[in-house]
Short mmCIF file of all heavy atoms in Angstrom, two decimals:
data_model
loop_
_atom_site.label_atom_id
_atom_site.label_comp_id
_atom_site.label_asym_id
_atom_site.label_seq_id
_atom_site.Cartn_x
_atom_site.Cartn_y
_atom_site.Cartn_z
N TYR A 140 76.32 -202.47 -45.61
CA TYR A 140 75.28 -201.49 -45.93
C TYR A 140 74.97 -201.46 -47.43
O TYR A 140 75.86 -201.67 -48.23
CB TYR A 140 75.64 -200.14 -45.34
CG TYR A 140 75.87 -200.15 -43.95
CD1 TYR A 140 77.20 -200.15 -43.41
CD2 TYR A 140 74.79 -200.10 -43.04
CE1 TYR A 140 77.38 -200.19 -42.01
CE2 TYR A 140 75.02 -200.12 -41.69
CZ TYR A 140 76.31 -200.14 -41.16
OH TYR A 140 76.52 -200.12 -39.84
N ASP A 144 70.17 -198.09 -47.05
CA ASP A 144 70.50 -197.67 -45.69
C ASP A 144 70.88 -196.18 -45.68
O ASP A 144 71.06 -195.59 -44.58
CB ASP A 144 71.67 -198.43 -45.09
CG ASP A 144 71.30 -199.89 -44.91
OD1 ASP A 144 70.34 -200.16 -44.20
OD2 ASP A 144 71.99 -200.79 -45.50
N LEU A 145 71.11 -195.61 -46.84
CA LEU A 145 71.47 -194.20 -46.95
C LEU A 145 70.21 -193.33 -46.99
O LEU A 145 69.61 -193.25 -48.04
CB LEU A 145 72.32 -193.94 -48.18
CG LEU A 145 73.81 -194.29 -48.01
CD1 LEU A 145 74.47 -194.44 -49.38
CD2 LEU A 145 74.52 -193.30 -47.16
N VAL A 146 69.91 -192.70 -45.86
CA VAL A 146 68.68 -191.97 -45.73
C VAL A 146 68.93 -190.53 -46.15
O VAL A 146 69.95 -189.92 -45.76
CB VAL A 146 68.15 -192.03 -44.28
CG1 VAL A 146 66.97 -191.14 -44.13
CG2 VAL A 146 67.87 -193.46 -43.91
N GLY A 147 67.97 -190.01 -46.92
CA GLY A 147 68.12 -188.58 -47.35
C GLY A 147 67.23 -188.35 -48.64
O GLY A 147 67.33 -189.13 -49.57
N PHE A 152 71.13 -184.60 -52.05
CA PHE A 152 71.53 -185.95 -51.56
C PHE A 152 71.02 -187.06 -52.50
O PHE A 152 71.76 -188.01 -52.78
CB PHE A 152 71.04 -186.15 -50.14
CG PHE A 152 71.60 -187.29 -49.47
CD1 PHE A 152 72.92 -187.28 -48.97
CD2 PHE A 152 70.97 -188.48 -49.33
CE1 PHE A 152 73.49 -188.33 -48.32
CE2 PHE A 152 71.53 -189.63 -48.69
CZ PHE A 152 72.85 -189.50 -48.20
N GLY A 173 84.13 -185.30 -47.69
CA GLY A 173 83.03 -184.75 -46.88
C GLY A 173 83.46 -184.65 -45.45
O GLY A 173 84.39 -185.39 -45.07
N GLU A 174 82.75 -183.81 -44.72
CA GLU A 174 83.16 -183.60 -43.30
C GLU A 174 82.97 -184.96 -42.55
O GLU A 174 82.37 -185.86 -43.02
CB GLU A 174 82.27 -182.53 -42.73
CG GLU A 174 82.52 -181.22 -43.24
CD GLU A 174 81.55 -180.13 -42.71
OE1 GLU A 174 80.84 -180.41 -41.72
OE2 GLU A 174 81.46 -179.07 -43.29
N SER A 175 83.52 -184.92 -41.33
CA SER A 175 83.45 -186.05 -40.47
C SER A 175 81.94 -186.39 -40.18
O SER A 175 81.15 -185.52 -39.96
CB SER A 175 84.10 -185.79 -39.22
OG SER A 175 84.09 -186.85 -38.34
N GLY A 176 81.61 -187.67 -40.23
CA GLY A 176 80.21 -188.08 -39.91
C GLY A 176 79.20 -187.91 -40.98
O GLY A 176 78.01 -188.03 -40.70
N THR A 177 79.60 -187.61 -42.22
CA THR A 177 78.63 -187.35 -43.26
C THR A 177 78.19 -188.66 -43.93
O THR A 177 77.25 -188.67 -44.73
CB THR A 177 79.18 -186.47 -44.36
OG1 THR A 177 80.54 -186.82 -44.66
CG2 THR A 177 79.13 -185.01 -43.93
N GLY A 178 78.88 -189.76 -43.66
CA GLY A 178 78.49 -191.05 -44.25
C GLY A 178 79.40 -191.59 -45.32
O GLY A 178 78.95 -192.37 -46.12
N LYS A 179 80.66 -191.20 -45.28
CA LYS A 179 81.62 -191.67 -46.28
C LYS A 179 81.76 -193.18 -46.27
O LYS A 179 81.72 -193.83 -47.30
CB LYS A 179 82.99 -191.01 -46.05
CG LYS A 179 82.94 -189.51 -46.26
CD LYS A 179 84.26 -188.85 -46.17
CE LYS A 179 84.88 -188.88 -44.75
NZ LYS A 179 84.16 -188.06 -43.78
N GLU A 180 81.89 -193.74 -45.04
CA GLU A 180 82.02 -195.18 -44.93
C GLU A 180 80.75 -195.91 -45.42
O GLU A 180 80.85 -196.95 -46.10
CB GLU A 180 82.31 -195.55 -43.47
CG GLU A 180 82.80 -196.96 -43.35
CD GLU A 180 83.33 -197.23 -41.91
OE1 GLU A 180 83.69 -196.29 -41.22
OE2 GLU A 180 83.41 -198.38 -41.58
N LEU A 181 79.66 -195.33 -45.13
CA LEU A 181 78.37 -195.89 -45.57
C LEU A 181 78.30 -195.98 -47.08
O LEU A 181 77.88 -196.95 -47.74
CB LEU A 181 77.24 -195.08 -44.98
CG LEU A 181 76.03 -195.76 -44.48
CD1 LEU A 181 76.43 -196.69 -43.35
CD2 LEU A 181 75.01 -194.79 -43.98
N ASP A 245 90.32 -195.72 -45.97
CA ASP A 245 89.70 -194.63 -45.20
C ASP A 245 90.77 -193.71 -44.68
O ASP A 245 91.86 -194.17 -44.31
CB ASP A 245 88.84 -195.32 -44.10
CG ASP A 245 87.77 -194.37 -43.59
OD1 ASP A 245 87.62 -193.28 -44.14
OD2 ASP A 245 87.07 -194.77 -42.65
N GLU A 246 90.42 -192.45 -44.58
CA GLU A 246 91.34 -191.41 -44.05
C GLU A 246 92.67 -191.44 -44.85
O GLU A 246 93.71 -191.37 -44.31
CB GLU A 246 91.68 -191.63 -42.59
CG GLU A 246 90.52 -191.84 -41.64
CD GLU A 246 89.71 -190.59 -41.43
OE1 GLU A 246 90.01 -189.53 -42.06
OE2 GLU A 246 88.75 -190.71 -40.64
N HIS A 287 88.37 -186.62 -44.87
CA HIS A 287 87.71 -185.37 -44.57
C HIS A 287 88.56 -184.20 -44.86
O HIS A 287 88.26 -183.07 -44.73
CB HIS A 287 87.21 -185.37 -43.13
CG HIS A 287 88.33 -185.34 -42.12
ND1 HIS A 287 89.01 -186.51 -41.80
CD2 HIS A 287 89.04 -184.36 -41.48
CE1 HIS A 287 90.04 -186.21 -40.99
NE2 HIS A 287 89.96 -184.91 -40.81
N ARG A 320 71.66 -179.82 -45.80
CA ARG A 320 70.48 -180.56 -46.17
C ARG A 320 69.55 -180.79 -44.95
O ARG A 320 69.27 -181.89 -44.55
CB ARG A 320 70.82 -181.92 -46.85
CG ARG A 320 71.85 -182.70 -46.04
CD ARG A 320 72.27 -183.90 -46.90
NE ARG A 320 73.05 -184.82 -46.11
CZ ARG A 320 72.66 -185.97 -45.64
NH1 ARG A 320 71.42 -186.38 -45.89
NH2 ARG A 320 73.47 -186.75 -44.97
N LEU A 327 66.14 -188.43 -41.00
CA LEU A 327 67.28 -189.06 -40.43
C LEU A 327 67.02 -189.29 -38.90
O LEU A 327 67.31 -190.40 -38.38
CB LEU A 327 68.55 -188.20 -40.53
CG LEU A 327 69.31 -188.34 -41.87
CD1 LEU A 327 70.30 -187.22 -42.04
CD2 LEU A 327 70.06 -189.70 -41.86
N MET A 330 64.76 -192.29 -38.57
CA MET A 330 65.43 -193.55 -38.86
C MET A 330 66.39 -193.94 -37.73
O MET A 330 66.45 -195.08 -37.31
CB MET A 330 66.20 -193.36 -40.19
CG MET A 330 67.00 -194.57 -40.70
SD MET A 330 68.54 -194.80 -39.96
CE MET A 330 69.43 -193.33 -40.40
N LEU A 331 67.13 -192.91 -37.24
CA LEU A 331 68.11 -193.22 -36.16
C LEU A 331 67.39 -193.60 -34.89
O LEU A 331 67.81 -194.53 -34.19
CB LEU A 331 68.98 -191.98 -35.93
CG LEU A 331 69.95 -191.63 -37.03
CD1 LEU A 331 70.57 -190.26 -36.84
CD2 LEU A 331 71.05 -192.72 -37.13
N LYS A 334 66.49 -197.22 -35.10
CA LYS A 334 67.63 -198.03 -34.89
C LYS A 334 67.98 -198.11 -33.38
O LYS A 334 68.22 -199.14 -32.80
CB LYS A 334 68.80 -197.40 -35.63
CG LYS A 334 69.88 -198.34 -36.06
CD LYS A 334 70.82 -197.73 -37.10
CE LYS A 334 72.08 -197.15 -36.51
NZ LYS A 334 72.97 -196.59 -37.54
N VAL A 363 75.88 -186.50 -39.26
CA VAL A 363 74.90 -187.52 -38.91
C VAL A 363 75.37 -188.28 -37.63
O VAL A 363 74.59 -188.65 -36.77
CB VAL A 363 74.66 -188.56 -40.05
CG1 VAL A 363 73.59 -189.52 -39.67
CG2 VAL A 363 74.33 -187.84 -41.35
N ARG A 364 76.69 -188.39 -37.52
CA ARG A 364 77.23 -189.08 -36.31
C ARG A 364 76.83 -188.26 -35.08
O ARG A 364 76.50 -188.87 -34.07
CB ARG A 364 78.73 -189.30 -36.40
CG ARG A 364 79.20 -190.13 -35.21
CD ARG A 364 80.64 -190.41 -35.18
NE ARG A 364 81.12 -191.24 -36.31
CZ ARG A 364 81.85 -190.85 -37.29
NH1 ARG A 364 82.34 -189.62 -37.23
NH2 ARG A 364 82.22 -191.60 -38.19
N GLU A 367 73.25 -188.83 -34.28
CA GLU A 367 73.11 -190.11 -33.73
C GLU A 367 73.49 -190.15 -32.23
O GLU A 367 72.77 -190.65 -31.38
CB GLU A 367 74.01 -191.13 -34.54
CG GLU A 367 73.60 -192.53 -34.38
CD GLU A 367 74.39 -193.45 -35.36
OE1 GLU A 367 75.24 -192.93 -36.12
OE2 GLU A 367 74.09 -194.68 -35.39
N1 ATP B 1 72.66 -190.78 -45.01
C1 ATP B 1 72.78 -191.53 -43.96
N2 ATP B 1 71.75 -192.35 -43.60
C2 ATP B 1 71.83 -193.09 -42.53
N3 ATP B 1 72.86 -193.09 -41.69
C3 ATP B 1 73.90 -192.31 -41.93
C4 ATP B 1 73.91 -191.50 -43.08
N4 ATP B 1 75.04 -190.86 -43.10
C5 ATP B 1 75.76 -191.23 -42.01
N5 ATP B 1 75.07 -192.14 -41.26
C6 ATP B 1 75.44 -192.71 -40.04
O1 ATP B 1 76.30 -191.76 -39.35
C7 ATP B 1 77.39 -192.42 -38.79
C8 ATP B 1 78.66 -191.88 -39.39
O2 ATP B 1 78.83 -192.26 -40.74
P1 ATP B 1 80.16 -192.71 -41.38
O3 ATP B 1 81.00 -193.47 -40.46
O4 ATP B 1 79.91 -193.34 -42.66
O5 ATP B 1 80.83 -191.27 -41.57
P2 ATP B 1 82.20 -190.80 -42.14
O6 ATP B 1 81.90 -189.78 -43.18
O7 ATP B 1 82.96 -192.01 -42.54
O8 ATP B 1 82.89 -190.06 -40.92
P3 ATP B 1 84.43 -189.92 -40.52
O9 ATP B 1 85.05 -188.98 -41.46
O10 ATP B 1 84.41 -189.35 -39.16
O11 ATP B 1 85.02 -191.27 -40.55
C9 ATP B 1 77.24 -193.88 -39.03
O12 ATP B 1 76.66 -194.46 -37.87
C10 ATP B 1 76.29 -193.99 -40.16
O13 ATP B 1 75.53 -195.15 -40.09
#
Side-chain angles (χ1 to χ4, degrees):
Y140 302 101
D144 297 302
L145 279 163
V146 174
F152 194 76
E174 291 175 14
S175 182
T177 44
K179 296 184 290 294
E180 192 169 341
L181 220 59
D245 203 0
E246 311 287 5
H287 65 278
R320 49 186 189 104
L327 273 166
M330 179 280 297
L331 292 168
K334 207 163 98 179
V363 186
R364 185 179 295 114
E367 199 169 4

